[in-house]
Amino acid sequence: MSACVPTRATDSHQNRTKRAPQPHSPPPSPPRRFRIAGADVSASIAVFLIALPLSLGIALATGAPLQAGLVAAAAGGLVAGRLGGCPLQVSGPAAGLTVVTADLIHRYGWRTTCAVTVLAGLAQLALGCLRVARTALAVSPAIVHGMLAGIGVTIAVAQLHIVLGGTPQSSVLANLRALPAQLADMHPADVAMSVLTLALLLLWPRVPGWLGQLMRKIPAALVAVAGATLTASLTGLSLAKVDLPSWSSHALAGLPEGPALGIAAAVLTTTLVCSVQSLLGAVAVDKLVAGQPGLSARVGRSNLNRELLGQGAANIVSGTLGGLPVAGVAVRSSANVQAGAVSRNSTMLHGVLVVVAALLMVPVLELIPLASLAALVMAVGIQMVSLNHIRTVTRHREVLVYAVTTLGVVFLGVLEGVLLGVTVAVAVALNRLAHTRITHDEKEGVHHVHVRGQLTFLAVPRLSRTLHLVPQGTHVVVELDGSFMDHAAYESLQDWQNSHTARGGTAELTGRRMGVRDTGPHRTGFETALADTTTGATSGTTTEAPARTTADAPTGGPTTSTVCRCHPWTPWRNHQCDHRRSTPADGHPADPTDHPADRPAPGTAEPNSTGTAEPSGPGTGTHPGTGTHPGAVPNPGADEGTHPGTDTPTNTGTPHSGTGTGTSTAGSQLARGISAFQRDTAPLVRGELARLAREGQRPSQLFLTCADSRLVTSMITSSGPGDLFVVRNVGNLVPPPGEESGDDSVAAAIEYAVDVLRVRSITVCGHSGCGAMQALLNSEPGGARTPLKRWLRHGVPSLERMADDGRPWARLAGRAPADAVEQLCLTNVVQQLEHLRGHESVARALREGALELHGMYFHVGEAQAYLLTEADEGGLFDGVGVADMSA
């Protein structure tokens, strides 16, 4: 390992992600000029060309003044774009609101509809202030997709009348009844323009070759409407066209007129549809952004509560100015991302373009045939009935919920259909909870009892009858394919197991997760597994199916202890065991990641940990058990991911078997961990620890790292007892020496390690996704001086170093830092090494040549360590491979 004494060198400053630091005492910086990236300009033009015809078409479909669509598009772009929490989501009049708005206009008139829009915006502001945005996402996807499908059917049936040259009726049933007469009296000119629009809309994206790639840069919706408009103008066909009255006569919002209960229901429906569609759209945009690493580092994840506030403000502005309700629009948002937008400026600029068009392009807009706009909106309505959504709900056995919601929206209305869907969804969930299928069969002398579904007291009579059909003295495998077991079922299984084993039988309990648990001495498999499975049974908490255990002692005597074989260390508390039943011929456990069947079931929560836990395993070299770490260690899979801004995983407290922890306590977890150490690890390391107790500790290095639970020093350095003198704190910070800024605990540890223990090296280790670095970047000047803020002031020099254009940045070999957080994590390691050199004991040992300093960076998600080299002052972190470790 090379010494870390960086020398100054020039840096090209390439691949930097500029981000103004926000420390507690930020260095002065010159004012920044407002700039719009070229990518935002081109993306805004693409979105504008899509939004313009769709806004007019949706206004036509609702029966509102056509200017209302343009007002809503401008308000969505400017207000929601500026204030919303999803920078790349484009808001405006949405097809999902067409049915709701059309019904409001038919019942209460246009001015009252605008007032309802304003009230819905106020309701959204209230929900955003209450921070309930994520609660809205708890609605079953089958209900949301069913609602959108029902709205799509309603739109398509209504617009079909305009396509044929007629006028739509007020309901789907009325439109269906009037359809035969409309087909007999259709207008050929309207039908021709509609067919031309649909043909261009369908064929334009499918032109092959390089020509098709060039053509697809122009939105198909714009091409379809422009083609129909040009054809109608050149041929001189007699068609109904867009009519935009003077803006001076545009109707604004008025006081709501109508029954209070009806107005309240209208506000509730509008709020529900606007909010759910906007929040789901924001989540969808996050997924699109996450697929582009460079973009995700710049944009970050959506703030859903802020998005709700932005949508509410946009609806207030749109309703006040006589516009349609506003919501996030999936088509425009996806086009915005795909067109290369990098900030919210693209959304806002699209709103500016809509305003310009509404004021200056009226003569051009009035050439558009209404039949062409109707065909465009009809195509959008048909696309809302997604076959992919139908396949998804079918796979999850929620077709009934989807179908009921769709039919309810079509024939009863949006609010009624959604309420009906929620009712059916609750009924289906209760039926699944109460319905349990229990089967019994025999294969090669082994009896199998398979329990499918949740095991509650309602299933206990059938479970007891099935279990008592098993002959005495036989081997039984009970398979629990569910995620909940209440106390009554637990007692029934335990009583039967005691009776069966007392009569000479054996039992094996398996569940959805096939990890192996140690049953422990004098304890049968059922007792161990059921005890873990039903930790929350008495309080009614939900638990998952137990891991696989084996009972080999029919009389309740000692059992054979089994251990997890899926990793070279013993499972820790939050470990997700991926046990493979068969072992290859070479005797080594196979890689569990190669076996899809051994992975967690979809939808099950991955256990994570944030509590610091150091292993108590044997070390390397002369230590027994080389290469194994039987202690409790954090989950290395709890990665911060590739999406910047992702929340750090929280401690679920879930034991590694996958059981729930409704009543688990930290004390019981600690006791189980200590018990496992005394049983499994202590016999292996007792001799080595006894030697260390006699001779005293003689560590070779001081290892200073972050307190993050995912960073396990002994595991990533292959060290054991007596090897490392470890100091951990929040952010792996080394306070500079001195009375004002120093920290006695860290300084004392450094002095003791260098002067007393005579360590030969000191390593400062940072890691990816460091919460302390994120806090430094996001900190605001002022505020309460909490202990955490006072401690993080020692990281301010790292921020200042990163903001200094005169210094080269620390970097990784082979790639640029993923985002500003990773850049600060790297810079912080270099800066803390400088602080370390300022300590008297360290400086003296460096002058004498008795000490080396090393910088290290560990990427949690990649399980990859990087060492700091002597490239330049900024520092180059080079990855450590297998060859480096064996040298």
Side-chain angles (χ1 to χ4, degrees), residues 292-386:
Q292 304 180 31
L295 182 60
S296 63
R298 184 167 183 174
V299 175
R301 195 172 56 175
S302 298
N303 183 332
L304 296 184
N305 289 304
R306 178 178 172 181
E307 179 64 20
L308 204 55
L309 292 172
Q311 294 293 332
N315 273 312
I316 292 174
V317 173
S318 179
T320 303
L321 298 179
L324 292 170
V326 171
V329 186
V331 175
R332 299 172 216 177
S333 301
S334 61
N336 193 34
V337 176
Q338 293 167 2
V342 295
S343 72
R344 63 177 72 247
N345 291 334
S346 64
T347 303
M348 298 172 61
L349 188 55
H350 127 270
V352 172
L353 293 176
V354 171
V355 173
V356 172
L359 296 177
L360 304 180
M361 294 179 59
V362 172
V364 177
L365 298 178
E366 289 184 335
L367 297 176
I368 300 175
L370 294 182
S372 178
L373 293 178
L376 177 64
V377 176
M378 184 178 72
V380 173
I382 294 173
Q383 291 173 357
M384 293 174 70
V385 186
S386 171

Side-chain angles (χ1 to χ4, degrees), residues 479-843:
E479 302 177 30
L480 301 177
D481 187 9
S483 60
F484 178 81
M485 179 191 299
D486 69 3
H487 190 72
Y490 162 69
E491 292 287 352
S492 177
L493 272 175
Q494 189 177 45
D495 292 343
W496 170 83
Q497 181 265 338
N498 292 334
S499 174
H500 186 73
T501 54
R503 291 177 172 83
T506 59
E508 182 179 348
L509 180 65
T510 65
R512 181 178 299 172
R513 301 190 176 193
M514 305 307 293
V516 177
R517 284 296 300 272
D518 186 355
T519 59
H522 305 287
R523 195 173 189 189
T524 61
F526 270 118
E527 290 171 339
T528 300
L530 291 179
D532 287 340
T533 307
T534 56
T535 53
T538 56
S539 61
T541 55
T542 302
T543 59
E544 292 191 11
R548 182 183 180 92
T549 59
T550 306
D552 295 323
T555 59
T559 63
T560 302
S561 177
T562 58
V563 296
C564 172
R565 302 187 185 91
C566 64
H567 289 291
W569 58 82
T570 310
W572 59 92
R573 181 178 302 122
N574 286 335
H575 168 55
Q576 171 61 56
C577 182
D578 290 326
H579 175 62
R580 185 187 289 253
R581 295 192 180 191
S582 59
T583 302
D586 60 6
H588 296 286
D591 184 2
T593 59
D594 295 336
H595 200 314
D598 289 340
R599 296 169 186 162
T604 57
E606 276 293 325
N608 298 315
S609 172
T610 55
T612 302
E614 286 289 333
S616 302
T620 57
T622 60
H623 300 305
T626 300
T628 62
H629 294 276
V633 295
N635 187 352
D639 178 31
E640 75 280 4
T642 59
H643 195 302
T646 304
D647 294 336
T648 302
T650 56
N651 184 7
T652 61
T654 310
H656 78 276
S657 63
T659 53
T661 59
T663 59
S664 295
T665 63
S668 63
Q669 291 178 351
L670 177 64
R672 286 198 298 270
I674 296 174
S675 176
F677 167 79
Q678 294 299 144
R679 181 182 66 244
D680 301 325
T681 308
L684 299 176
V685 300
R686 187 170 286 119
E688 179 70 11
L689 291 177
R691 182 187 66 80
L692 291 173
R694 293 191 305 269
E695 300 174 0
Q697 63 168 326
R698 288 179 295 183
S700 60
Q701 66 173 295
L702 166 61
F703 198 92
L704 195 150
T705 188
C706 184
D708 192 290
S709 63
R710 299 165 296 180
L711 214 62
V712 187
T713 57
S714 59
M715 182 174 70
I716 63 179
T717 60
S718 297
S719 57
D723 291 341
L724 300 180
F725 188 68
V726 181
V727 174
R728 308 190 70 157
N729 60 50
V730 176
N732 48 276
L733 300 178
V734 181
E739 294 181 358
E740 295 182 359
S741 62
D743 179 89
D744 288 341
S745 64
V746 178
I750 293 171
E751 180 182 351
Y752 185 83
V754 175
D755 293 340
V756 179
L757 298 177
R758 302 289 181 180
V759 297
R760 296 187 296 274
S761 69
I762 301 179
T763 300
V764 176
C765 179
H767 68 97
S768 60
C770 181
M773 299 301 102
Q774 294 180 22
L776 274 173
L777 283 172
N778 298 327
S779 61
E780 298 285 349
R785 298 285 291 176
T786 64
L788 178 60
K789 285 188 176 182
R790 289 196 298 271
W791 170 253
L792 289 180
R793 76 185 187 277
H794 301 305
V796 172
S798 300
L799 272 176
E800 296 173 348
R801 186 188 191 98
M802 190 174 77
D804 188 356
D805 290 335
R807 287 185 171 183
W809 278 9
R811 60 197 187 279
L812 294 172
R815 69 173 177 86
D819 54 12
V821 175
E822 187 169 59
Q823 181 64 69
L824 183 57
C825 291
L826 297 172
T827 305
N828 184 58
V829 172
V830 179
Q831 182 64 37
Q832 300 311 313
L833 286 171
E834 285 195 5
H835 291 179
L836 196 58
R837 294 187 191 95
H839 287 262
E840 180 181 355
S841 57
V842 175

Side-chain angles (χ1 to χ4, degrees), residues 60-76:
L60 173 67
T62 61
L66 295 184
Q67 295 103 318
L70 300 177
V71 171

